[in-house]
Amino acid sequence: MDTTNEVKVQEEYIEKVKKINEGKNPKYNILTMGCQLNENDSEKLCGMLEKMGYTKTDNVKEADIALFNTCCVRENAEDKLFGKLGELKRLKEEKGLVIAIGGCMMQEKHITDKIKESYHFVDILFGTHTLYKFPEDLYKAIEEKKKIEDIIDVDGEIYEGLPIKRDSLIKASVTIMNGCNNFCTYCIVPYVRGRERSRSPKSIIEEVKHLAKSGYKEITLLGQNVNSYLRVEKEKNIPFDEYEGVNSFATLLRAINKIDGIERIRFVSPHPKDFTDDVIEAIADCDKVCKLVHLPLQAGNTKVLKEMNRKYTKEQYLELVDKMKKKIPNLTLSTDIIVGFPGETDEEFEDTLDVVRKVKFEQVYMFIYSRRVGTPGDKMPNQIPEEIKHKRFNKLKELVESQIEENNQKYVGTVQKVLVEGESKNNTLMLTGRTDSNKVVIFEGDKTLIGKLIDLKIVSEHMWYLKGEVLN
Ligand code: SAH
Ligand code: SF4
Ligand code: F3S
């Protein structure tokens, strides 16, 4: 569907709110939870707010609007939101702070019911499919003094051309697809983000070209399952226009690799089951595509993987890793792992440790299984007791940390290409950047190096960063 008109309507609301704000210099505070897709959505919300005349503040006490962009992939995000809301009640009473909550958690009825019942001072609730309508919702909340609930449970459309205020001037995220069709049995994302749909090749390529012109050096392509880009469209005969030869994820990588000015390309997350040879070849061929691939494992045991509906076995995962290592020189891998999925035995958990030992990941994001209302996993018998989950988590963490320490040693004495991102947060006399494999490197250097891809000699390693020296 062409959504140009809907976006135009919102531009009119942006102007209306801007008028209300004239001469007032109002401020907004935003808290973003969750994944990079949510961060990218927040950049769009910030873009809209700034066009409406708001400026950002990190201090919510100074703010006229407090905005939450929520995640619901694990339970701790809920605790965080409700804790923060409790704190805001007084600010609402004292100075009429406008409170808006959006994002994935708003697509869960039991959560919005709880907010309406116990936190009735919240002004705006909006979901993942109505983010583009934020200017209209805000206008109605402040001008018409209405409580707004703007949540729909259909598969959202793709809205191009929304304003955006990016967090960095060097690295940019570009969402290439929305939603997910995989229904892993532990995961809430398909329920709150709707069905998979891809952006058109033309709009992605044009966005990246525009970013390159604006001086961006690194692009991260985002989606819940990036290597199935355009798959649904092909399967369902939904027409799309090829642009610069792009008709798949592999061809998208190749097209972006040709864009002048862009020096690095990353992508998250691919799914192992969709890792076709053309994608492996594109990674190997494209010099700008980083050789760090995030390949979510989730569990190492075939039975657990089947229960998780991941559609690959332990052996298939390991074979894929072998094939990739053979075809992609200097490949490094990172992964996501869940411990304590319902029914997972100690023995089955050992398979996860076994895969970790064999693959030697560069980085492992570890999660304790969290029951999500509405997912098949939540209804499964044999939920694992908390203390066992924690025990397994600690065992995995120990293994991962020992591997990272060992792996870090390998960097010392090597020369690494580092994209310089800015001053180090902990020591402003030092600069910070990242290697191709996404390792943080801290080094002394001139600020003119910021935004450049430079060679650094690694002189020492620390658990979460490396120290480097500029080569003369
Ligand atoms: N689409 C991506 C990531 C989705 S969410 C993928 O398939 O890899 C990010 C990570 O959160 C997942 O990879 C998974 O490891 C973790 N996760 C998702 N649901 C979870 C749950 N119910 N409990 C614990 N971790 C979960
Ligand atoms: Fe969740 Fe699985 Fe989809 Fe990733 S692929 S978002 S884990 S359902
Ligand atoms: Fe969370 Fe939604 Fe991302 S549930 S992980 S913010 S897609």
Side-chain angles (χ1 to χ4, degrees):
M1 197 179 93
D2 185 6
T3 53
T4 326
N5 274 337
E6 278 83 350
V7 174
K8 274 210 184 102
V9 170
Q10 295 310 312
E11 282 165 4
E12 286 161 20
Y13 277 106
I14 287 178
E15 288 307 314
K16 283 187 188 175
V17 179
K18 195 174 162 193
K19 243 199 185 124
I20 298 172
N21 284 335
E22 251 164 23
K24 291 186 188 151
N25 190 23
K27 296 196 169 61
Y28 72 97
N29 175 265
I30 183 163
L31 176 69
T32 307
M33 303 165 185
C35 63
Q36 293 182 60
L37 282 155
N38 243 24
E39 281 168 17
N40 194 223
D41 281 348
S42 282
E43 291 181 328
K44 290 173 193 157
L45 288 166
C46 292
M48 295 182 209
L49 279 160
E50 303 218 349
K51 271 209 160 169
M52 290 188 275
Y54 293 89
T55 47
K56 194 172 188 169
T57 170
D58 290 332
N59 180 1
V60 72
K61 289 190 183 127
E62 280 182 1
D64 298 276
I65 297 184
L67 179 57
F68 295 87
N69 192 8
T70 60
C71 167
C72 54
V73 83
R74 286 171 294 272
E75 191 176 0
N76 45 13
E78 282 152 35
D79 303 339
K80 189 169 173 184
L81 175 69
F82 292 123
K84 291 273 176 202
L85 281 181
E87 289 169 25
L88 289 189
K89 189 170 182 212
R90 208 171 44 93
L91 282 179
K92 173 83 196 170
E93 284 161 1
E94 280 173 6
K95 54 175 278 192
L97 175 75
V98 174
I99 303 175
I101 316 178
C104 295
M105 217 190 277
M106 295 306 102
Q107 297 294 138
E108 297 185 296
K109 192 169 177 302
H110 68 280
I111 299 284
T112 48
D113 283 349
K114 180 168 171 179
I115 292 174
K116 283 185 279 182
E117 202 180 297
S118 310
Y119 303 89
H120 38 81
F121 53 87
V122 173
D123 300 279
I124 305 172
L125 301 178
F126 63 103
T128 54
H129 307 299
T130 43
L131 177 134
Y132 77 100
K133 273 176 74 193
F134 184 66
E136 179 176 346
D137 293 339
L138 182 60
Y139 176 81
K140 289 181 176 161
I142 54 182
E143 190 63 10
E144 298 169 13
K145 305 248 177 311
K146 274 189 193 156
K147 292 263 181 232
I148 306 291
E149 183 176 356
D150 191 5
I151 299 164
I152 50 172
D153 195 17
V154 296
D155 300 329
E157 295 288 341
I158 289 176
Y159 297 90
E160 296 293 350
L162 302 178
I164 187 157
K165 171 80 173 36
R166 295 183 182 273
D167 294 335
S168 156
L169 295 170
I170 297 162
K171 306 199 292 184
S173 297
V174 174
T175 298
I176 64 166
M177 58 203 299
N178 292 346
C180 181
N181 282 1
N182 288 324
F183 291 94
C184 302
T185 53
Y186 50 81
C187 186
I188 193 76
V189 170
Y191 305 90
V192 297
R193 287 269 175 176
R195 295 293 60 72
E196 203 170 292
R197 53 214 174 271
S198 298
R199 279 179 76 194
S200 73
K202 186 168 187 243
S203 38
I204 298 171
I205 298 289
E206 282 182 347
E207 183 173 350
V208 178
K209 281 188 177 163
H210 178 73
L211 287 164
K213 270 203 191 117
S214 318
Y216 283 88
K217 298 286 182 263
E218 180 175 308
I219 299 295
T220 302
L221 304 174
L222 298 180
Q224 294 297 357
N225 192 1
V226 285
N227 50 348
S228 73
Y229 174 66
L230 289 177
R231 179 188 60 185
V232 171
E233 285 71 13
K234 286 178 199 161
E235 277 172 9
K236 295 198 174 155
N237 286 323
I238 301 170
F240 66 88
D241 292 325
E242 264 188 43
Y243 188 75
E244 300 197 350
V246 178
N247 57 18
S248 64
F249 185 60
T251 48
L252 180 65
L253 288 179
R254 289 182 188 275
I256 295 178
N257 197 59
K258 287 192 198 130
I259 297 177
D260 282 343
I262 299 301
E263 307 214 32
R264 271 187 175 170
I265 304 163
R266 300 185 189 274
F267 55 89
V268 276
S269 285
H271 196 301
K273 77 176 164 63
D274 299 312
F275 229 108
T276 44
D277 288 348
D278 61 336
V279 176
I280 300 178
E281 280 154 24
I283 299 170
D285 290 348
C286 296
D287 56 330
K288 296 175 184 173
V289 174
C290 291
K291 304 310 178 220
L292 168 77
V293 175
H294 185 67
L295 194 65
L297 168 69
Q298 312 301 0
N301 176 269
T302 296
K303 192 190 121 232
V304 176
L305 285 167
K306 191 165 184 358
E307 300 271 300
M308 286 178 160
N309 193 29
R310 289 292 290 177
K311 301 195 169 80
Y312 51 87
T313 62
K314 176 185 181 184
E315 290 69 31
Q316 282 167 336
Y317 186 91
L318 289 171
E319 279 160 23
L320 175 62
V321 168
D322 274 349
K323 180 157 80 175
M324 289 170 69
K325 282 186 175 170
K326 275 195 198 110
K327 291 198 173 166
I328 307 171
N330 300 321
L331 178 80
T332 56
L333 292 159
S334 61
T335 201
D336 288 354
I337 290 176
I338 299 175
V339 302
F341 183 75
E344 182 188 65
T345 64
D346 279 336
E347 223 182 357
E348 287 161 357
F349 170 64
E350 285 299 320
D351 274 326
T352 298
L353 300 177
D354 188 44
V355 176
V356 171
R357 273 187 212 105
K358 288 194 167 116
V359 178
K360 296 199 166 59
F361 294 103
E362 193 73 29
Q363 181 67 269
V364 181
Y365 301 91
M366 298 166 273
F367 306 105
I368 290 175
Y369 172 71
S370 172
R371 292 175 82 158
R372 304 287 73 208
V373 174
T375 61
D378 186 41
K379 295 180 200 90
M380 287 181 186
N382 309 324
Q383 298 286 331
I384 307 294
E386 286 304 314
E387 65 272 20
I388 296 183
K389 288 196 229 173
H390 280 92
K391 242 190 206 155
R392 288 185 193 158
F393 183 85
N394 290 336
K395 209 167 166 185
L396 175 64
K397 188 162 166 260
E398 221 171 87
L399 171 63
V400 166
E401 287 181 357
S402 74
Q403 283 192 329
I404 288 180
E405 259 180 50
E406 198 180 308
N407 186 39
N408 281 350
Q409 312 272 350
K410 287 192 201 144
Y411 282 90
V412 180
T414 64
V415 173
Q416 298 285 326
K417 280 230 173 312
V418 169
L419 178 62
V420 186
E421 291 174 15
E423 290 173 3
S424 162
K425 274 200 190 110
N426 300 325
N427 180 354
T428 49
L429 296 172
M430 306 282 274
L431 296 178
T432 180
R434 281 175 192 263
T435 63
D436 180 285
S437 59
N438 215 26
K439 281 248 177 254
V440 174
V441 186
I442 313 279
F443 64 101
E444 263 176 54
D446 195 89
K447 288 200 178 72
T448 52
L449 294 175
I450 295 172
K452 298 207 168 98
L453 197 61
I454 60 165
D455 282 330
L456 286 180
K457 180 158 186 197
I458 305 303
V459 292
S460 65
E461 53 88 18
H462 307 261
M463 192 68 193
W464 301 117
Y465 67 95
L466 306 169
K467 259 201 180 143
E469 272 174 15
V470 178
L471 286 176
N472 291 312

